[in-house]
Every structure is written in structure tokens, then in C-alpha cells.
Amino acid sequence: MRWCSEGMTLSLAPPPHIVTTTRWCGNNKNKSWEFEFQKAFLKLKFNKSALVIHRNSAWATQVEEAWSSSRDFVVVNFYHFVLIKNPQELVAKHLSFLELEGLDINGRIYLNQQGINAQYSGPSKDAITYVNWIKQDTRFSDILVQISPSEAGHTFPSLKLRYKPSLVQFKHGISDLPLLDPSMRALPLSPSQWRHRLQAINQNPNTNNIILDVRNGYEWDIGHFRGAQRPNVDCFRSTSFGLSQEEITASDPLSNVDKENANILMYCTGGIRCDVYSTILRQHGFQNLYTLKGGVSHYIKNEGAAEWAIPEGGMTPVSRDDKFAKCYICNVEVSELRHRNCANLDCNLLFLCCRKCVNDLKGCCCLTCTTAPRLRPALIGEQRYRKWHIYRDMDLQGKGN
């Protein structure tokens, strides 16, 4: 935002389908204005030192939190399944907007015929400007946008805004899944509906209900909903609950389940994995599928730690502040789920780590690994390792020092 001699220019604007008229009053002496949007989206009072927002919507609440300082960085997450006939053209349109506006956006923003999946970081002003522009497109006007603070600037090293055949990676691909048909996806439950369901299930555990964690094993170790079994997977692409026709195993919570009568309650970090996987399960005959809308991050923000379990030695999450995870090494609370593989090639453990421990242990998961014979070079900032096989045959003795 900037001041001028005759008035104020405020780049933050709510979606046009909500705002119809605007009025302002004030004078240049005290630089105080009041804006009122006809449909009660926001009322802004701006002076030299403060921005006061009177809101009547959840979106306005997120804007208030993110706009506390235009220099603060935030992380924005959202996805939406909708038909896009010309995704390549839309990619070009998005890139053109970011360039013309000079927005400082880093992250992964993928578009294809099935919709959009975005996780990006940037200064709050830039991040909000971009998402407001996206919401002007009627196809994305009702997306659930989740915004959280980024304590150390950009969470992503660069911008990847492009067409991608799959919005999420799955071993068999998802381009042929009927994701645009809501009836093929699980029925979404709000955070409060999810909490009530879980409370009823955990009070009567003999009922025909299964709580399915569609995240990775290391994420379950950070924390999980009571009653959920630990997923025995390291990445979503290898998830296979309920799909195997082979011998029933204890690691599959959907083995030997009554597909027509069992209630499957699925949850993941942000929601998109559950939408995708519920469609796969629907095709395999599972009838009663429910998912947590917005995933764990949306739930914690709205319901706090209710029904959330922490493994022994873990931390108790603080209600409504998004810090429901901990560093694998020092147990410090973290709000960003930034995971990495251990720099020791012969360990390669996937773990969650704070920035300080990354630097102190040179990207390793423990002191022992820092003296291993095959260490990948320590990475700077948010960089990620290249494919494992690139390092496999290299002479890395001492390279991590």
C-alpha cells in the first residue's frame, strides 16, 4: 500500500462478487479513512499506525491475520477440483499477472484440466494480492484458503507455476480419476462435525468405524487423531490401503472391512490427498466415506487439540496457533511442516527439522550421522537434495564437512 497527497491506494481488495459499492471519508490532515463494503465483507479504518478490520466472514479473519504487517511472510495453501478447458492458457495468465504486479511469490502452483493445487509463500501483501486475484475467477471464488505465518521468510526456494498432469503424485496417476464428480469423493465434514464424530466413536469403539490417516508415517509420529493407525508409508504415492487383493496384513486398516457398511473417516494435512484417495476407494467398492475438510491444519486452527493424540515424549499442541508439530532433534515447536532426508546416504531418514538443527547437524538426523563416510553436501536454506541415485555412486567421503 502507498500514501499519496489526495488519498490512499490499498491493493488489498475482496472478491468482486462480494463487493458492490464502496464509500470513503476523511481528510489529508490526519490521514484517516473509513471504507464500508456494501455486503458487510470488511470495514477498514486506517490511520498512521494501525489497520482495524471489522469483518463478517472467515476470509476477512484470515486477511486480518496475514495483513498485520506487509513485511511479514506467510504460507498460503489451497486446492480446488474444477473443469479447466485450457489449463496451459490459464498458466500463462497467472504468470503474466505475477510478473506485471511484481509479486514476490515462491512455491508450487499446479494447474491442469482437473483444477488447481497451490502451496506458496511470500510477503503477506503479495500473497493476499495473488489469492484475491485468483478468487475473482468464478471457478475459484469459493476455495478454502489457509494462511499461516512463515517465521523465516520464504518457505520455498523458487516458483514452479506450471501445467502438471497430476495435481498430486500417486503411483498409478490420477488423471483418469473422476475427481470432478463430488459424489465420487468422500463427504466433507467441517472441523466441528469431525470432532463430534470422533468423540462418539472413541466413546463407543466397538462401532463399525475406521479412522484412516492418509499421511506419511513420520507425520503420524508428530501427532494424530485418537484411534488412527500409523500409516506404514513414506510418501503418498505408495499408499495402498484397501486396494490389495493379496494376503491381508495388519498394516492395512482397511483389510477385511465391510465395504458397504463400514464408515471410513479419512484425514490428511490439507485435504487434497483424502479427496483423491477417497475417489480411488469409491471405485473399489467402499460406500461410506467421510473426510476432514481442510485437513489437520484447518482442524487445529478451529478446534485446537480436541481428539488429537501425541506419541509418548511428544509435545501438546497449543489451541488455535498452528504449532502442532515438533522438531525431531530438539523437540522445539514448529509451525511449518518442513521435512528432509538425512544427509547420511546410508541413513536417509525422513524427518521434520527446525532450521537451527539443520545448520548445527549439517542436514543429518543425529550426531552419529554427521561422521558417516557418505554425506551429501549440506544444503542452504530451503534447497532440497537431488534424486538419491545421483549421489549413490559418488565419492562423498568428507564432502559434508
Side-chain angles (χ1 to χ4, degrees):
M1 66 188 70
R2 62 180 176 84
W3 292 107
C4 62
S5 60
E6 298 179 356
M8 181 184 74
T9 298
L10 184 64
S11 61
L12 172 62
H17 69 286
I18 295 178
V19 180
T20 56
T21 63
T22 304
R23 71 174 179 83
W24 67 272
C25 59
N27 57 68
N28 290 331
K29 183 177 180 180
N30 58 18
K31 288 187 173 64
S32 179
W33 284 260
E34 180 174 322
F35 291 76
E36 288 187 356
F37 298 105
Q38 186 177 20
K39 291 191 177 181
F41 177 78
L42 291 174
K43 181 167 68 176
L44 306 179
K45 291 184 179 179
F46 206 102
N47 55 44
K48 292 182 180 179
S49 61
L51 170 65
V52 180
I53 301 180
H54 302 281
R55 69 272 188 189
N56 194 24
S57 73
W59 173 240
T61 300
Q62 292 194 68
V63 170
E64 177 184 11
E65 294 172 351
W67 200 264
S68 58
S69 169
S70 62
R71 293 173 297 177
D72 290 344
F73 276 71
V74 296
V75 178
V76 177
N77 293 272
F78 63 84
Y79 72 95
H80 190 57
F81 294 115
V82 66
L83 176 63
I84 300 177
K85 294 183 179 179
N86 300 302
Q88 297 280 17
E89 293 181 9
L90 190 58
V91 168
K93 183 178 179 181
H94 279 238
L95 288 171
S96 177
F97 175 78
L98 293 179
E99 181 178 358
L100 288 173
E101 295 295 323
L103 301 185
D104 182 13
I105 299 294
N106 284 359
R108 300 184 294 266
I109 304 167
Y110 301 139
L111 294 112
N112 65 18
Q113 291 84 351
Q114 295 175 310
I116 186 171
N117 184 21
Q119 303 88 37
Y120 67 85
S121 62
S124 59
K125 178 176 67 68
D126 291 5
I128 296 298
T129 297
Y130 181 41
V131 78
N132 271 335
W133 178 79
I134 291 174
K135 288 168 77 71
Q136 292 177 20
D137 187 327
T138 56
R139 292 169 295 186
F140 307 126
S141 60
D142 60 346
I143 56 176
L144 173 62
V145 179
Q146 301 193 61
I147 303 175
S148 57
S150 179
E151 298 175 356
H154 272 300
T155 302
F156 302 92
S158 61
L159 174 64
K160 296 180 180 178
L161 199 168
R162 64 192 185 198
Y163 171 87
K164 196 168 186 180
S166 293
L167 295 180
V168 295
Q169 294 302 308
F170 191 70
K171 60 183 176 182
H172 300 303
I174 67 170
S175 58
D176 294 329
L177 292 177
L179 295 171
L180 301 182
D181 182 357
S183 67
M184 291 299 294
R185 304 196 298 263
L187 179 68
L189 301 177
S190 69
S192 61
Q193 290 174 323
W194 179 269
R195 175 172 57 82
H196 290 310
R197 285 261 188 158
L198 260 60
Q199 288 174 341
I201 291 172
N202 288 319
Q203 289 172 3
N204 185 16
N206 294 323
T207 56
N208 194 19
N209 296 282
I210 295 174
I211 304 171
L212 184 66
D213 193 322
V214 194
R215 302 176 301 161
N216 305 327
Y218 85 92
E219 293 174 299
W220 187 95
D221 294 337
I222 295 169
H224 52 270
F225 286 109
R226 289 197 299 133
Q229 182 174 317
R230 187 184 191 278
N232 189 26
V233 294
D234 289 331
C235 61
F236 176 64
R237 69 167 62 238
S238 60
T239 301
S240 61
F241 304 132
L243 307 184
S244 176
Q245 302 298 323
E246 301 174 357
E247 182 180 355
I248 297 174
T249 63
S251 63
D252 185 352
L254 298 187
S255 292
N256 201 26
V257 166
D258 185 342
K259 296 182 178 181
E260 294 186 359
N261 297 310
N263 297 312
I264 313 299
L265 283 77
M266 311 168 59
Y267 71 92
C268 55
T269 302
I272 190 169
R273 294 183 191 178
C274 289
D275 272 344
V276 170
Y277 203 72
S278 65
T279 303
I280 297 172
L281 290 178
R282 186 81 73 190
Q283 291 183 325
H284 281 75
F286 289 88
Q287 300 296 314
N288 305 316
L289 300 170
Y290 304 89
T291 187
L292 172 58
K293 184 176 181 179
V296 172
S297 55
H298 188 49
Y299 179 90
I300 294 291
K301 194 165 190 175
N302 285 274
E303 300 295 328
E307 299 304 311
W308 188 254
I310 306 296
E312 185 176 353
M315 53 159 269
T316 301
V318 181
S319 176
R320 306 178 193 277
D321 75 348
D322 289 339
K323 291 190 175 182
F324 58 96
K326 64 172 183 174
C327 173
Y328 173 83
I329 296 170
C330 70
N331 285 340
V332 69
E333 296 179 7
V334 292
S335 58
E336 299 173 11
L337 288 177
R338 172 68 172 93
H339 63 277
R340 61 170 55 232
N341 290 93
C342 180
N344 175 10
L345 278 172
D346 298 309
C347 173
N348 208 45
L349 176 71
L350 185 67
F351 65 103
L352 183 71
C353 191
C354 69
R355 294 171 185 268
K356 183 178 184 303
C357 289
V358 169
N359 294 328
D360 291 348
L361 296 184
K362 305 174 184 177
C364 293
C365 68
C366 62
L367 284 173
T368 301
C369 282
T370 61
T371 60
R374 297 200 302 163
L375 292 180
R376 287 171 284 206
L379 297 179
I380 300 174
E382 297 297 333
Q383 293 180 353
R384 293 182 181 273
Y385 290 119
R386 292 179 292 171
K387 298 296 184 181
W388 188 88
H389 68 82
I390 295 176
Y391 300 95
R392 181 179 54 200
D393 299 322
M394 294 175 61
D395 179 12
L396 295 174
Q397 179 73 39
K399 295 293 184 180
N401 296 327

